[in-house]
């Protein structure tokens, strides 16, 4: 299986030069075609920073990011990433513009300079289809984000990510801002969409139980590095790193009263 995204020895210092933090401190990782990779690790370990570097939203201080074998120092490769990779963020409130109706918000990526030119009718058809795919009524396209619940807003964000028909989805804790009662629905939706479309996915989460439901492989981050990576079943059975062992022992505690399954 071919490698889609590969990062090698990335370093990135954030904040003031002295007193800031090495958000990435020598991280190396690869994501293969069709892989559903769970990226876990304690708060502040660098997960979100790594996703942003993978999408060329942040530039590392040193190290290499390759997309399908080409370094992102090449502008052509950056355009390719933007065309093929989509991202879903943690909080739909901050990722959706409150003044833009949701039809416009969902189709906005189709108007970006890297997107293929589409006619108005093609865009409308694509919008209706993707809204149905995520369980939203296409008739509601003229409504605004505040008219929707948190779970529906995250469906809107997922529709916006999928509207360009990406091959790869980067999801950064897509349900952690939602009520526990609607998390399972959104996760199941995401799971179905990713499997139906055969997408490659990197799914960031604190919750290993959720990762087990959606992913086949896992990478564990700690202090800006990947400390463990492997098939989920292997890592579950025989965690090598202390951080992984701690994450695993936390599961029963987190699961009590939770309905993410
Ligand atoms: N813009 C910034 N300026 C300064 N420090 C930052 C900035 N963004 C992130 N950091 C720091 O970089 C480190 C890594 O942050 P990051 O958001 O990647 O962690 P994370 O693993 O996604 O955490 P969480 O699970 O809480 O989302 C943290 O210590 C964070 O405080
Ligand atoms: Mg984060």
């Amino acid at each position: 299986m071919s490698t889609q995204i590969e990062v090698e020895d990335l370093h990135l210092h954030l904040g003031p030069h002295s007193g800031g933090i090495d958000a990435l401190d020598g991280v190396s990782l690869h994501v293969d075609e069709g892989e559903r990779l769970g990226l876990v690790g304690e708060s502040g370990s660098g997960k979100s920073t790594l996703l942003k570097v993978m999408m060329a939203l942040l530039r590392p201080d040193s190290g290499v990011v390759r997309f399908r074998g080409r370094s992102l120092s090449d502008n052509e490769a950056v355009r390719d990433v933007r065309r093929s990779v989509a991202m879903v963020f943690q909080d739909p409130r901050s990722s959706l513009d409150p003044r833009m109706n949701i039809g416009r918000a969902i189709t906005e990526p189709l108007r970006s300079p890297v997107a293929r030119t589409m006619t108005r009718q093609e865009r409308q058809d694509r919008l209706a289809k993707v809204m149905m795919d995520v369980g939203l009524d296409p008739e509601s396209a003229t409504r605004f984000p505040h008219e929707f619940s948190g779970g529906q807003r995250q469906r809107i964000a997922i529709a916006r990510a999928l509207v360009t028909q990406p091959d790869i989805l980067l999801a950064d804790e897509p349900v952690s801002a939602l009520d526990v009662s609607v998390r399972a629905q959104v996760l199941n939706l995401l799971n179905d969409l990713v499997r139906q479309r055969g997408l490659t996915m990197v799914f960031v989460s604190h919750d290993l139980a959720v990762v087990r439901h959606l992913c086949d492989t896992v990478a564990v981050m700690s202090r800006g590095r990947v400390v463990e990576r492997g098939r989920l079943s292997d890592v579950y059975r025989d965690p090598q790193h202390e951080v992984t062992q701690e994450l695993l022992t936390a599961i029963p505690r987190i699961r009590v009263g939770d309905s993410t399954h």
Side-chain angles (χ1 to χ4, degrees):
M1 239 176 249
S2 68
T3 297
Q4 300 290 297
I5 304 175
E6 186 177 16
V7 308
E8 220 176 272
D9 199 22
L10 293 183
H11 289 261
L12 178 59
H13 189 90
L14 290 174
H17 200 69
S18 54
I21 177 158
D22 290 318
L24 302 179
D25 193 14
V27 64
S28 297
L29 183 69
H30 62 94
V31 184
D32 290 335
E33 187 174 0
E35 183 173 3
R36 293 181 292 263
L37 172 72
L39 188 60
V40 300
E42 73 261 35
S43 187
S45 57
K47 306 180 296 293
S48 299
T49 307
L50 178 57
L51 286 198
K52 286 178 196 153
V53 171
M54 283 177 166
M55 265 214 90
L57 299 173
L58 272 180
R59 190 189 278 269
D61 296 333
S62 66
V64 189
V65 188
R66 282 190 209 90
F67 180 64
R68 294 179 177 154
R70 292 227 313 279
S71 165
L72 291 193
S73 56
D74 173 355
N75 287 336
E76 188 87 12
V78 171
R79 270 197 293 278
D80 223 15
V81 162
R82 301 261 160 86
R83 212 175 282 139
S84 311
V85 185
M87 193 154 168
V88 179
F89 295 89
Q90 176 169 356
D91 188 351
R93 261 167 309 214
S94 57
S95 60
L96 290 172
D97 183 339
R99 295 156 304 181
M100 202 185 270
N101 78 44
I102 65 149
R104 182 143 187 109
I106 292 170
T107 54
E108 199 184 23
L110 297 176
R111 294 187 191 85
S112 94
V114 297
R116 188 176 68 83
T117 337
M118 292 177 105
T119 64
R120 198 180 132 77
Q121 186 59 48
E122 281 175 316
R123 271 206 306 269
Q124 289 307 316
D125 293 347
R126 183 74 73 83
L127 172 64
K129 172 151 193 331
V130 80
M131 285 186 75
M132 285 190 283
D133 287 348
V134 301
L136 291 167
D137 179 1
E139 298 277 311
S140 63
T142 53
R143 289 163 58 191
F144 288 83
H146 73 267
E147 300 176 63
F148 294 86
S149 68
Q152 285 172 324
R153 279 201 291 262
Q154 203 53 314
R155 288 173 192 266
I156 296 165
I158 293 169
R160 182 181 152 95
L162 294 180
V163 75
T164 55
Q165 302 184 330
D167 304 318
I168 302 171
L169 189 66
L170 307 180
D172 194 354
E173 309 214 43
V175 299
S176 61
L178 303 180
D179 283 350
V180 166
S181 59
V182 297
R183 282 183 190 176
Q185 292 167 21
V186 175
L187 283 174
N188 287 335
L189 169 72
L190 196 61
N191 197 26
D192 291 346
L193 290 168
V194 165
R195 283 166 201 263
Q196 279 159 15
R197 292 167 188 232
L199 299 183
T200 303
M201 174 167 69
V202 181
F203 181 88
V204 171
S205 179
H206 278 89
D207 189 343
L208 268 170
V210 170
V211 168
R212 184 160 58 178
H213 186 53
L214 271 81
C215 305
D216 338 274
T217 54
V218 66
V220 182
M221 282 191 80
S222 176
R223 297 162 187 243
R225 306 177 72 103
V226 169
V227 295
E228 184 155 5
R229 181 190 190 332
R231 294 201 53 78
L232 249 169
S233 48
D234 295 340
V235 172
Y236 262 81
R237 197 176 335 104
D238 190 17
Q240 298 297 311
H241 199 279
E242 199 184 324
V243 170
T244 318
Q245 289 160 5
E246 276 167 24
L247 285 169
L248 281 170
T249 52
I251 288 182
R253 199 158 34 82
I254 295 168
R255 304 305 301 160
V256 175
D258 195 339
S259 62
T260 35
H261 263 321

